Amino acid sequence: MDSMVLTALLEAVSVLAGVLIAFSIDAAWDNRRDRGREKGYLSALAAEIETNRERFCGYLDQLQSQLHTGDRALREIVFAQGTVDPGAVRGWLQSTGALYLELPEQAALSDILSSGGVAFIEDPGVRRLISRYSDALGRQRASQDNITMQWNAHFIPYTTRHCSLYDMVGGVPWNDGWVTPGLGSFGDDTEAFVANRDFANLIVHRIILVAMARDATDRLLVVIDELSGRLVRAA
């Protein structure tokens, strides 16, 4: 009787051990599969972030240059007196040219968020930074929408009233140089053009918009750098 009990007990232990081993193998296989998916998500995100870093660093340099150009033009207009050199006026006109907005790559981030990929990321710090990165992109987009709205509200009405796009950035070849384009409603009267405060105010407003874009880009790059560094350590 004792031997039968012992045999039954051994068989039960063997079955239980077999079940536990099977579960362990399944768990190991699932974990291996999940880690593979995590690696795929994070590799794609890291590449995308690097692309956005390069893109927005270049955009930040462009914005800094535009701030410098606008500030210089504003100082020149403030201190200008009488008839102004047409070449200087043309430079001022160029300082109010179109303000380009940079758009980030978001395919990898969208894939992680929409497919539930966040659940496969083990590091909670990486998950938090991905959330911050997504929020930062949202704020960047909101800032750009605000800039576009203000551009449409202030710049386009002004250029419609006073000058065409050709008048602002064009020019007619003359000998080996360029003649200044017309000043729309001001014709060739540079003195009246400079004396009109609307144009100086336009440059001030554009400087503010460029500064807004620069600050939003700065904030986004801070988050990009944090997430990029964390992804490198997690790789």
Side-chain angles (χ1 to χ4, degrees):
M1 184 70 177
D2 291 341
S3 62
M4 292 178 61
V5 172
L6 181 60
T7 300
L9 182 61
L10 290 175
E11 289 178 353
V13 170
S14 298
V15 171
L16 179 60
V19 170
L20 292 176
I21 291 172
F23 278 134
S24 298
I25 292 173
D26 287 344
W29 178 258
D30 289 342
N31 184 66
R32 180 179 178 183
R33 182 191 59 191
D34 291 348
R35 298 291 67 75
R37 295 185 67 175
E38 177 190 35
K39 182 178 181 181
Y41 281 125
L42 295 184
S43 294
L45 182 62
E48 184 173 275
I49 286 175
E50 187 57 34
T51 296
N52 285 338
R53 183 214 298 276
E54 294 178 3
R55 178 174 296 182
F56 280 100
C57 281
Y59 182 52
L60 188 63
D61 290 341
Q62 178 190 0
L63 293 173
Q64 295 284 21
S65 176
Q66 290 185 31
L67 283 174
H68 176 73
T69 299
D71 184 62
R72 183 179 64 230
L74 187 62
R75 288 199 306 269
E76 291 175 355
I77 290 173
V78 169
F79 292 106
Q81 295 180 352
T83 301
V84 181
D85 176 65
V89 174
R90 186 167 188 271
W92 299 339
L93 287 169
Q94 288 177 329
S95 72
T96 61
L99 176 59
Y100 296 102
L101 302 177
E102 191 64 70
L103 298 176
E105 295 285 344
Q106 297 189 68
L109 176 65
S110 297
D111 185 35
I112 291 175
L113 298 178
S114 63
S115 66
V118 174
F120 295 99
I121 299 173
E122 284 191 310
D123 189 337
V126 172
R127 292 199 299 268
R128 285 193 296 270
L129 282 173
I130 288 175
S131 178
R132 283 187 57 199
Y133 177 56
S134 178
D135 291 344
L137 289 176
R139 288 192 296 272
Q140 169 80 6
R141 179 58 183 268
S143 174
Q144 291 186 338
D145 288 345
N146 183 30
I147 290 170
T148 301
M149 180 184 67
Q150 293 195 50
W151 181 276
N152 293 337
H154 297 281
F155 283 75
I156 291 183
Y158 180 88
T159 57
T160 300
R161 286 195 308 269
H162 295 295
C163 51
S164 67
L165 290 175
Y166 176 79
D167 287 329
M168 290 188 70
V169 299
V172 181
W174 183 71
N175 293 338
D176 56 351
W178 290 78
V179 299
T180 302
L183 302 178
S185 60
F186 296 100
D188 295 324
D189 189 350
T190 59
E191 185 174 359
F193 178 74
V194 172
N196 184 281
R197 293 290 304 225
D198 286 347
F199 184 70
N201 291 338
L202 192 73
I203 293 182
V204 170
H205 200 151
R206 189 179 190 279
I207 289 173
I208 292 172
L209 294 184
V210 173
M212 288 172 57
R214 178 202 58 191
D215 293 345
T217 301
D218 261 334
R219 291 191 293 269
L220 176 60
L221 283 170
V222 168
V223 180
I224 285 177
D225 287 340
E226 290 181 5
L227 179 54
S228 177
R230 191 63 178 257
L231 289 176
V232 170
R233 294 193 296 272

